[in-house]
Each structure stands twice: as C-alpha cells, then as structure tokens.
C-alpha cells in the first residue's frame, strides 16, 4: 500500500511545559480554556472543517502527549472532533485523553471553546489558535474570506520554525535567581463531592476599571492583584490566629513575548509572585496597591524575568537530570511543583489583556472568556480577558462555599465598579 | 436582574446567586441563556486500590493461617491445598484484574486457566488419579481456548457478535460431547452418551440459531428491533 502520509511531527516539551505532565494527578491537570461567543449559533459541521484547517496551521497545538524513556514528548495528531459542551468547563483531562489529543474543541449555542493542556501552549498562543479557529469558522460559515489584518496569521500558511521553537532556550542567560519557597496562605474549603467546578464571571466596563486604575496610578493587573491580596488577607484574618498567619501572594504569569521578541505559539511565560509577606497582612488597600505596584515594577523587568526562566532552563540542562528515567523525574518534579510552584502563592491571576480582532470579524464575535482550572492543592484561580469594551474576570473554585467571591466582588463594587455577575451555580 | 437576597447585579439565566447561593425566583429562572449547559456530570471511575491492598492482605493472611494450621495439625499439607487453590482462583479471577484501571480479559483469562490447571495437576499427582492429561487438560483446556477466542474477538473485532456467540455456543455443545467420551475413556467406562446429549442439542441449536439470525438480514432486523439494548 502506498504511503502518502508524511511522518508525524514530534516535539520535545518546552521548558515551562515539562512540569505540567509530571504534576498531573487523579482528577487534576493543568488545563485552561478560551472561548469566543459569536452572534449566531455555532454549526458543528462548519466548526469541524474550521478545526481541521486551524489544527493543520498549528501542528504544535493539535498534539497528543506521549511518554519517552527520559522525557514526555508531543506528537502531532489529527484535529479533534468538536463536541458539544458537557456539564462544566474544564472537565478533568485524563492521561488516556491526553494520549489521544491534549486539546478539546467544544461548542455550546453561540460559543466556540477550546480547552488546552498547558503543556501545549500558553494563554497567548492559545488565543492565537482560537482567533484562527474562529476566522476559519467564519470563512467556512459565510463562504467568503475575512480580512485578517496583522492580528491573525495566515490560516492556510505553514507553521514557521519560529512558531514551533522553545523560546526559553533562545533567551536563557547565565545568571539565575533562586526561587522563593516560603509558603503562602492556602485558601481552603469543603470540596465538591463530584469535583464540580464553579465559574463566576464578573463583567466590568473596561473604561471604568481603567479609569480607576489610572486614578490610583497603577496598572489594571496591579489593581486586580491588590484586590485579591486584600480580600485573601481579610479571609486569613477571619480564619487564622495572628501567630499562624502566612504570606498572601498572588501569582501573575507574564507574557515574555513582550520583552523577548518571539512568535512562538508554545509556552513562553514566566510567573512572578506579588503580595504581602508574613506580618504585613493587616495593611489597608492603598498600601497593598502601592506595594503590589512597586513589586511588579521590580520583578517584571527583562533582566529579572530572564534570570527567573534561566533557573528553570539550567535545571533542565543538567546531565544528571537528563539521564534520570522519566518515572523518577516525575516524582522529583511533582515534589518541586508542590513545594515551590504552588505553595508560594494563594492563587494565580492570569490577565490575557485585550483581544483585538479585525473589524469584519469583530462584528461577528460578541465576547471572549478565559478560564484557568483551579490549582492542584488550592481551590481558586482567576482568568481575565477584555474585549469589546468589557473586561471579564472569571473566578473558578472547586469548593462548595464561595468564600472568596463573597468578599472580592462586593469589594470591587465598593471601589465604584459596575459589576454584573454570571455563574454556572447548579 | 438583581439577586433578591443580597442585591448583587446578575446576568439573566442563572439558577442561583453566585455569592449568597440563594435560589433565584421562578419568574427569573430560564430567562436568557444559561451560562453553561445543564447536563449531569459523567461519573468518574472510583479508585479502589486502597481497598484492593486490604483484600490482598486478607488473602495472604488467610492463606498463611490455613497453611500454618494444617502444618501444625498434620505435619504435612492436606486440606490447605484445596483452600489455597480456591483462594488463589478467587483472587486471580476477581481481584487481580482490578489492580488495572481497564483490565484486559484476553490477558487475565490465561492467568486464571494456569492457576486452575496448576491446582488440578497438583491434586492429580498427589492422589495418583491419572485423569489430568486424559480428561481435565483437554476438557478445561478446550473450554478456556474457546472462551479466550470469543473474548479476544469481542475485544478486538468490531461487529460480528452474533457469529462470535453462535460459534462459541456450538463449540461448547461439541465440548460436552467430547468431555463425556474422554470421561468414560479415562475411567474405563463403556462408551455411550448420557448427560452430554441434552447440552449438545441445546447449545448447538442456540449457536446455529444465532448464526442463522446473523446470516439472514430480515431475521437480524426483526430480532434487533425486538431485543435491542
């Protein structure tokens, strides 16, 4: 039988991705979700065709996770068949599912959603994929070409080597900064017996929140991080005696493409922790805001970010580590993840920024949502994205009581923001 | 809309207020589009490994105790072999596959067969019965062979279930016939057919019936409509 098919492409995991398969556990994997809501109901047959085009364009995104002797790797696979959304977003992705395809394409009424295992790409890469998928869908749906401008790469082009590169390796320097392992306060609660994920999305006009941030002299991310830190510190004071108080930190992923030019669609992100150290947790909001603002200015610099990811690249490059079999690596990496990765912050606040679409496409797309799954050991996380004059703050939790939401959203309202909430409460 | 309990501003379509968890009034329910589809969550497979560990421990302790008691009482193994055989067979058949999330019966059936054959061979050698090679091995070996073939086909071949079950029943019917012949030959009894006639007729009729249903499309459609599940 003639073999016309080319050999399937395979990729090493990028530097940031290496931790994600190792840290997976039963009922939890590091998955995030991006969705676009259209004006009209989504037609699955058109979406399947669009998925085929988009997946062909981004072979590094449409992959499955495979085990090697020493490392995991990604292998190109066909486009997944779009499925109608189930009961909840970010339903845990099992190893078996990732072994087939570590990407889900879903639809529900007017919404197209893509759920990514974080080892495939980061929020920016995921958004590029989603925008291309939506463009392909609209082109198939309406049978005409949509001008794509500079915001979206050519969906019929081929993936460039720059898009597939592990940009960490290109930019890693010599100096590394040690990680801060001191533990932060851990939000807790009674977990849902069936693992249900609650999503509460607050919609705020961008103008309002930007005006507030400018009025305070800080960035939008700093304003939100400080609000989270303030509310978590308040919860900690209610729950824990002063002697047992811990640091209250918020983890902020930083898109490294802003500082190190790269067009990669794989992970290229570093995280910084901002917030209150032990003993500072009784600070008022303006103090916290100022603290967070200055911490961000100090930490989010090309030099510091480079030193942050250089530490990770160095640990990946060690000969001894490379020669250790995968199952042993997994044990060590998971311990490191639990000790350093998660415990040093209370939650992760990922702000994807503003989504820009070409004018013709923007007429067809009414909203974007960005949700990140909860942490492995802590119940909360938060994804932020703005589009069409509105910013959406999606807080997820896997516990029963909305303790943080009850403090956070009224607090944001008290700052003068006009919040509208929606949730999947059942 | 606003939550009637805490007053927070909400989008239309929700069931509960996300902050105070108050049920939204019926008049507001169903208005607008719900944020996420309202479907039951698929059940996740439970992890029984802890329980399996305890069961394994129980089997080991029970087996060890029986063996020790037997040795203390008789200075040699007597009834403990039978008890250990039963325990081993039970464990191999029902507990061992559960260690895997998706146990493959194609692999575990031969394991059970080997355990059973080992136990029977031991009994045969201990009692000097001389029935293992001439009766137990061909009859049970044949049975497990047919079962393994059926299970493998069911596992790896899509469709053709009527043929697989039909063939299996036919083979079992014939096996009854052969088993009686071997039984009589082994124990030097006159060759005639008694207990195997009824199962032979029953299984062969059932097997042939299934194959006929599989071959004739109108039959197949009729039975599909009548007995679908």
């Amino acid at each position: 039988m003639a073999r016309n098919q080319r050999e399937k492409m395979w990729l090493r995991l990028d530097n940031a991705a290496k931790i994600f398969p190792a840290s997976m556990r039963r009922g939890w994997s590091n998955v995030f979700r991006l969705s676009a809501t259209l004006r009209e109901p989504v037609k699955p047959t058109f979406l399947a065709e669009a998925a085929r085009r988009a997946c062909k364009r981004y072979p590094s995104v449409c992959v499955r996770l495979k085990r090697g002797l020493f490392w995991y790797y990604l292998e190109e696979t066909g486009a997944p068949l779009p499925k109608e959304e189930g009961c909840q977003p970010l339903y845990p992705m099992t190893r078996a599912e990732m072994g087939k395809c570590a990407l889900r394409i879903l639809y529900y009424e007017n919404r197209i959603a893509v759920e990514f295992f974080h080892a495939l790409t980061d929020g920016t890469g995921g958004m590029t994929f989603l925008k291309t998928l939506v463009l392909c869908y609209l082109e198939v749906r309406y049978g005409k070409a949509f001008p794509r401008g500079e915001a979206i790469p050519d969906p019929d082009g081929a993936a460039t080597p720059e898009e597939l590169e592990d940009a960490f390796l290109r930019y890693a320097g010599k100096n590394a900064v040690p990680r801060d392992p001191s533990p932060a306060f851990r939000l807790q609660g009674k977990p849902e017996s069936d693992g249900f994920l609650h999503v509460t999305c607050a919609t705020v006009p961008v103008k309002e929140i930007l005006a507030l941030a400018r009025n305070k002299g800080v960035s939008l991310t700093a304003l939100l991080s400080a609000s989270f830190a303030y509310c978590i510190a308040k919860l900690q004071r209610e729950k824990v005696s002063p002697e047992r108080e811990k640091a209250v930190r918020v983890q902020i992923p930083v898109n490294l493409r802003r500082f190190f030019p790269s067009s990669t669609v794989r992970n290229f992100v570093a995280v910084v922790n901002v917030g209150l150290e032990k003993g500072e947790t009784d600070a008022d909001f303006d103090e916290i805001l100022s603290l967070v603002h200055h911490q961000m200015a100090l930490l989010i610099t090309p030099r510091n970010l480079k030193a942050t990811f250089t530490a990770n690249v160095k640990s990946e490059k060690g000969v001894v580590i490379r020669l250790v079999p995968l199952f042993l690596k997994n044990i060590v990496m998971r311990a490191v993840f639990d000790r350093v990765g998660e415990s040093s912050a209370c939650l992760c606040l990922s702000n994807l920024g503003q989504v820009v679409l070409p004018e013709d496409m923007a007429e067809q797309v009414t909203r974007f949502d960005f949700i990140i799954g909860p942490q492995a050991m802590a119940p909360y996380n938060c994804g932020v994205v703005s589009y069409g004059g509105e910013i959406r703050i999606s807080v997820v939790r896997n516990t029963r009581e909305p303790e943080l939401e009850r403090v956070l959203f009224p607090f944001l309202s008290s700052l003068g923001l006009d919040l509208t909430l929606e949730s999947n409460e059942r | 809309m606003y939550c009637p309990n805490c007053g927070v501003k909400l989008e239309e379509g929700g069931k509960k207020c996300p902050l105070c968890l108050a049920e939204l009034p019926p008049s507001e329910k169903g208005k607008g589009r719900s944020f996420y589809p309202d479907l039951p969550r698929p059940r996740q497979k439970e992890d029984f490994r802890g329980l399996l560990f305890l069961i394994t421990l129980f089997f080991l302790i029970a087996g060890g105790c029986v063996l020790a008691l037997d040795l203390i009482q008789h200075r040699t193994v007597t009834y403990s072999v039978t008890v250990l055989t039963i325990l081993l067979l039970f464990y191999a058949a029902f507990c061992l596959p559960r260690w895997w999330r998706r146990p493959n019966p194609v692999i575990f059936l031969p394991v059970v067969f080997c355990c059973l054959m080992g136990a029977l061979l031991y009994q045969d050698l201990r009692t000097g019965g001389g029935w293992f090679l001439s009766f137990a091995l061909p009859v049970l070996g044949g049975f497990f062979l047919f079962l393994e073939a059926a299970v493998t086909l069911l596992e790896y071949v899509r469709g053709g279930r009527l043929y697989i079950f039909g063939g299996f029943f036919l083979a079992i019917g014939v096996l009854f016939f052969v088993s009686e012949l071997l039984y009589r030959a082994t124990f030097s009894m006159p060759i005639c057919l008694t207990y195997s006639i009824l199962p032979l007729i029953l299984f062969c009729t059932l097997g042939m019936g299934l194959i006929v249903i599989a071959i004739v499309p109108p039959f197949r459609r009729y039975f599909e409509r009548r007995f679908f599940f």
Side-chain angles (χ1 to χ4, degrees), chain B residues 16-39:
Chain B
K16 279 181 177 177
C17 169
L19 300 191
C20 65
L21 301 183
E23 294 256 350
L24 297 178
S27 57
E28 303 290 355
K29 255 189 198 177
K31 252 191 187 179
R33 202 166 55 89
S34 66
F35 192 27
Y36 285 101
D38 192 14
L39 295 170

mmCIF file of all heavy atoms in Angstrom, chain B residues 16-39:
data_model
loop_
_atom_site.group_PDB
_atom_site.id
_atom_site.type_symbol
_atom_site.label_atom_id
_atom_site.label_comp_id
_atom_site.label_asym_id
_atom_site.label_seq_id
_atom_site.Cartn_x
_atom_site.Cartn_y
_atom_site.Cartn_z
ATOM 1 N N LYS B 16 -28.848 30.157 40.546
ATOM 2 C CA LYS B 16 -28.595 30.603 41.919
ATOM 3 C C LYS B 16 -27.714 31.835 41.880
ATOM 4 O O LYS B 16 -26.949 32.017 40.920
ATOM 5 C CB LYS B 16 -27.858 29.507 42.689
ATOM 6 C CG LYS B 16 -28.716 28.411 43.233
ATOM 7 C CD LYS B 16 -27.810 27.464 43.981
ATOM 8 C CE LYS B 16 -28.586 26.336 44.636
ATOM 9 N NZ LYS B 16 -27.691 25.401 45.300
ATOM 10 N N CYS B 17 -27.792 32.603 42.937
ATOM 11 C CA CYS B 17 -26.879 33.741 43.054
ATOM 12 C C CYS B 17 -25.489 33.179 43.372
ATOM 13 O O CYS B 17 -25.347 32.369 44.288
ATOM 14 C CB CYS B 17 -27.349 34.663 44.167
ATOM 15 S SG CYS B 17 -26.116 35.897 44.584
ATOM 16 N N PRO B 18 -24.451 33.591 42.632
ATOM 17 C CA PRO B 18 -23.125 33.018 42.880
ATOM 18 C C PRO B 18 -22.511 33.435 44.219
ATOM 19 O O PRO B 18 -21.559 32.813 44.668
ATOM 20 C CB PRO B 18 -22.277 33.543 41.720
ATOM 21 C CG PRO B 18 -23.002 34.711 41.199
ATOM 22 C CD PRO B 18 -24.448 34.518 41.497
ATOM 23 N N LEU B 19 -23.042 34.476 44.853
ATOM 24 C CA LEU B 19 -22.458 34.920 46.122
ATOM 25 C C LEU B 19 -23.208 34.358 47.322
ATOM 26 O O LEU B 19 -22.618 33.751 48.211
ATOM 27 C CB LEU B 19 -22.437 36.454 46.194
ATOM 28 C CG LEU B 19 -21.625 37.157 45.103
ATOM 29 C CD1 LEU B 19 -21.462 38.627 45.436
ATOM 30 C CD2 LEU B 19 -20.273 36.523 44.911
ATOM 31 N N CYS B 20 -24.542 34.560 47.383
ATOM 32 C CA CYS B 20 -25.268 34.094 48.579
ATOM 33 C C CYS B 20 -25.900 32.720 48.338
ATOM 34 O O CYS B 20 -26.467 32.138 49.256
ATOM 35 C CB CYS B 20 -26.327 35.106 48.995
ATOM 36 S SG CYS B 20 -27.628 35.295 47.783
ATOM 37 N N LEU B 21 -25.804 32.198 47.123
ATOM 38 C CA LEU B 21 -26.338 30.888 46.728
ATOM 39 C C LEU B 21 -27.854 30.789 46.901
ATOM 40 O O LEU B 21 -28.408 29.690 46.986
ATOM 41 C CB LEU B 21 -25.653 29.739 47.491
ATOM 42 C CG LEU B 21 -24.134 29.639 47.319
ATOM 43 C CD1 LEU B 21 -23.587 28.419 48.064
ATOM 44 C CD2 LEU B 21 -23.744 29.534 45.856
ATOM 45 N N ALA B 22 -28.516 31.953 46.964
ATOM 46 C CA ALA B 22 -29.986 31.931 47.064
ATOM 47 C C ALA B 22 -30.570 31.518 45.718
ATOM 48 O O ALA B 22 -30.058 31.925 44.666
ATOM 49 C CB ALA B 22 -30.484 33.314 47.450
ATOM 50 N N GLU B 23 -31.614 30.700 45.782
ATOM 51 C CA GLU B 23 -32.308 30.284 44.548
ATOM 52 C C GLU B 23 -32.943 31.522 43.930
ATOM 53 O O GLU B 23 -33.554 32.323 44.648
ATOM 54 C CB GLU B 23 -33.404 29.279 44.891
ATOM 55 C CG GLU B 23 -32.863 27.982 45.432
ATOM 56 C CD GLU B 23 -32.894 26.871 44.420
ATOM 57 O OE1 GLU B 23 -33.510 27.061 43.365
ATOM 58 O OE2 GLU B 23 -32.289 25.830 44.691
ATOM 59 N N LEU B 24 -32.813 31.660 42.636
ATOM 60 C CA LEU B 24 -33.449 32.820 42.007
ATOM 61 C C LEU B 24 -34.934 32.534 41.838
ATOM 62 O O LEU B 24 -35.325 31.379 41.648
ATOM 63 C CB LEU B 24 -32.784 33.113 40.668
ATOM 64 C CG LEU B 24 -31.312 33.494 40.792
ATOM 65 C CD1 LEU B 24 -30.703 33.721 39.437
ATOM 66 C CD2 LEU B 24 -31.144 34.741 41.656
ATOM 67 N N PRO B 25 -35.781 33.554 41.950
ATOM 68 C CA PRO B 25 -37.225 33.318 41.882
ATOM 69 C C PRO B 25 -37.624 32.682 40.557
ATOM 70 O O PRO B 25 -36.993 32.943 39.534
ATOM 71 C CB PRO B 25 -37.825 34.720 42.031
ATOM 72 C CG PRO B 25 -36.707 35.665 41.903
ATOM 73 C CD PRO B 25 -35.442 34.947 42.154
ATOM 74 N N PRO B 26 -38.663 31.838 40.585
ATOM 75 C CA PRO B 26 -39.043 31.093 39.381
ATOM 76 C C PRO B 26 -39.303 31.984 38.183
ATOM 77 O O PRO B 26 -39.005 31.614 37.066
ATOM 78 C CB PRO B 26 -40.334 30.369 39.810
ATOM 79 C CG PRO B 26 -40.332 30.401 41.293
ATOM 80 C CD PRO B 26 -39.514 31.559 41.728
ATOM 81 N N SER B 27 -39.813 33.183 38.428
ATOM 82 C CA SER B 27 -40.118 34.065 37.301
ATOM 83 C C SER B 27 -38.847 34.461 36.556
ATOM 84 O O SER B 27 -38.869 34.699 35.352
ATOM 85 C CB SER B 27 -40.823 35.329 37.799
ATOM 86 O OG SER B 27 -40.000 35.968 38.759
ATOM 87 N N GLU B 28 -37.727 34.485 37.267
ATOM 88 C CA GLU B 28 -36.477 34.882 36.626
ATOM 89 C C GLU B 28 -35.758 33.690 36.018
ATOM 90 O O GLU B 28 -34.898 33.847 35.157
ATOM 91 C CB GLU B 28 -35.546 35.541 37.664
ATOM 92 C CG GLU B 28 -36.130 36.738 38.368
ATOM 93 C CD GLU B 28 -36.273 37.945 37.442
ATOM 94 O OE1 GLU B 28 -35.823 37.855 36.289
ATOM 95 O OE2 GLU B 28 -36.847 38.940 37.864
ATOM 96 N N LYS B 29 -36.096 32.485 36.507
ATOM 97 C CA LYS B 29 -35.415 31.271 36.018
ATOM 98 C C LYS B 29 -35.693 31.064 34.538
ATOM 99 O O LYS B 29 -36.788 31.316 34.077
ATOM 100 C CB LYS B 29 -35.927 30.049 36.773
ATOM 101 C CG LYS B 29 -34.936 29.532 37.793
ATOM 102 C CD LYS B 29 -35.432 28.216 38.315
ATOM 103 C CE LYS B 29 -34.749 27.869 39.593
ATOM 104 N NZ LYS B 29 -35.250 26.651 40.155
ATOM 105 N N GLY B 30 -34.690 30.606 33.838
ATOM 106 C CA GLY B 30 -34.927 30.246 32.441
ATOM 107 C C GLY B 30 -34.949 31.434 31.506
ATOM 108 O O GLY B 30 -34.931 31.278 30.307
ATOM 109 N N LYS B 31 -34.971 32.641 32.053
ATOM 110 C CA LYS B 31 -34.913 33.812 31.187
ATOM 111 C C LYS B 31 -33.501 33.910 30.655
ATOM 112 O O LYS B 31 -32.540 33.678 31.384
ATOM 113 C CB LYS B 31 -35.214 35.060 32.001
ATOM 114 C CG LYS B 31 -36.558 35.681 31.732
ATOM 115 C CD LYS B 31 -36.571 37.024 32.403
ATOM 116 C CE LYS B 31 -37.916 37.667 32.357
ATOM 117 N NZ LYS B 31 -37.882 38.957 33.043
ATOM 118 N N GLY B 32 -33.352 34.285 29.420
ATOM 119 C CA GLY B 32 -31.998 34.418 28.878
ATOM 120 C C GLY B 32 -31.359 33.059 28.684
ATOM 121 O O GLY B 32 -31.985 32.024 28.853
ATOM 122 N N ARG B 33 -30.111 33.081 28.334
ATOM 123 C CA ARG B 33 -29.371 31.860 28.016
ATOM 124 C C ARG B 33 -28.563 31.467 29.226
ATOM 125 O O ARG B 33 -27.950 32.310 29.866
ATOM 126 C CB ARG B 33 -28.436 32.202 26.857
ATOM 127 C CG ARG B 33 -27.977 31.065 26.036
ATOM 128 C CD ARG B 33 -27.367 31.628 24.774
ATOM 129 N NE ARG B 33 -26.314 32.574 25.088
ATOM 130 C CZ ARG B 33 -25.041 32.230 25.257
ATOM 131 N NH1 ARG B 33 -24.676 30.971 25.171
ATOM 132 N NH2 ARG B 33 -24.122 33.135 25.512
ATOM 133 N N SER B 34 -28.561 30.162 29.560
ATOM 134 C CA SER B 34 -27.763 29.781 30.717
ATOM 135 C C SER B 34 -26.276 29.817 30.342
ATOM 136 O O SER B 34 -25.909 29.589 29.190
ATOM 137 C CB SER B 34 -28.167 28.401 31.219
ATOM 138 O OG SER B 34 -27.848 27.448 30.257
ATOM 139 N N PHE B 35 -25.468 30.106 31.334
ATOM 140 C CA PHE B 35 -24.030 30.324 31.130
ATOM 141 C C PHE B 35 -23.367 29.059 30.582
ATOM 142 O O PHE B 35 -22.539 29.102 29.691
ATOM 143 C CB PHE B 35 -23.449 30.725 32.479
ATOM 144 C CG PHE B 35 -22.056 31.268 32.442
ATOM 145 C CD1 PHE B 35 -21.541 31.894 31.322
ATOM 146 C CD2 PHE B 35 -21.251 31.179 33.574
ATOM 147 C CE1 PHE B 35 -20.255 32.406 31.317
ATOM 148 C CE2 PHE B 35 -19.969 31.688 33.570
ATOM 149 C CZ PHE B 35 -19.477 32.300 32.440
ATOM 150 N N TYR B 36 -23.754 27.910 31.173
ATOM 151 C CA TYR B 36 -23.219 26.621 30.738
ATOM 152 C C TYR B 36 -24.357 25.622 30.615
ATOM 153 O O TYR B 36 -25.361 25.759 31.312
ATOM 154 C CB TYR B 36 -22.166 26.104 31.722
ATOM 155 C CG TYR B 36 -20.887 26.852 31.584
ATOM 156 C CD1 TYR B 36 -20.559 27.858 32.483
ATOM 157 C CD2 TYR B 36 -20.037 26.601 30.527
ATOM 158 C CE1 TYR B 36 -19.401 28.592 32.322
ATOM 159 C CE2 TYR B 36 -18.875 27.318 30.363
ATOM 160 C CZ TYR B 36 -18.560 28.311 31.263
ATOM 161 O OH TYR B 36 -17.420 29.027 31.091
ATOM 162 N N PRO B 37 -24.214 24.606 29.758
ATOM 163 C CA PRO B 37 -25.303 23.641 29.604
ATOM 164 C C PRO B 37 -25.558 22.894 30.911
ATOM 165 O O PRO B 37 -24.635 22.642 31.682
ATOM 166 C CB PRO B 37 -24.782 22.686 28.529
ATOM 167 C CG PRO B 37 -23.318 22.898 28.477
ATOM 168 C CD PRO B 37 -23.081 24.296 28.898
ATOM 169 N N ASP B 38 -26.808 22.561 31.106
ATOM 170 C CA ASP B 38 -27.220 21.938 32.350
ATOM 171 C C ASP B 38 -27.322 20.431 32.146
ATOM 172 O O ASP B 38 -28.380 19.897 31.879
ATOM 173 C CB ASP B 38 -28.578 22.529 32.752
ATOM 174 C CG ASP B 38 -28.923 22.147 34.168
ATOM 175 O OD1 ASP B 38 -28.041 21.683 34.887
ATOM 176 O OD2 ASP B 38 -30.098 22.321 34.540
ATOM 177 N N LEU B 39 -26.195 19.765 32.235
ATOM 178 C CA LEU B 39 -26.173 18.317 31.994
ATOM 179 C C LEU B 39 -25.583 17.614 33.205
ATOM 180 O O LEU B 39 -24.779 18.190 33.921
ATOM 181 C CB LEU B 39 -25.294 17.998 30.778
ATOM 182 C CG LEU B 39 -25.782 18.520 29.436
ATOM 183 C CD1 LEU B 39 -24.706 18.340 28.399
ATOM 184 C CD2 LEU B 39 -27.031 17.784 29.015
#
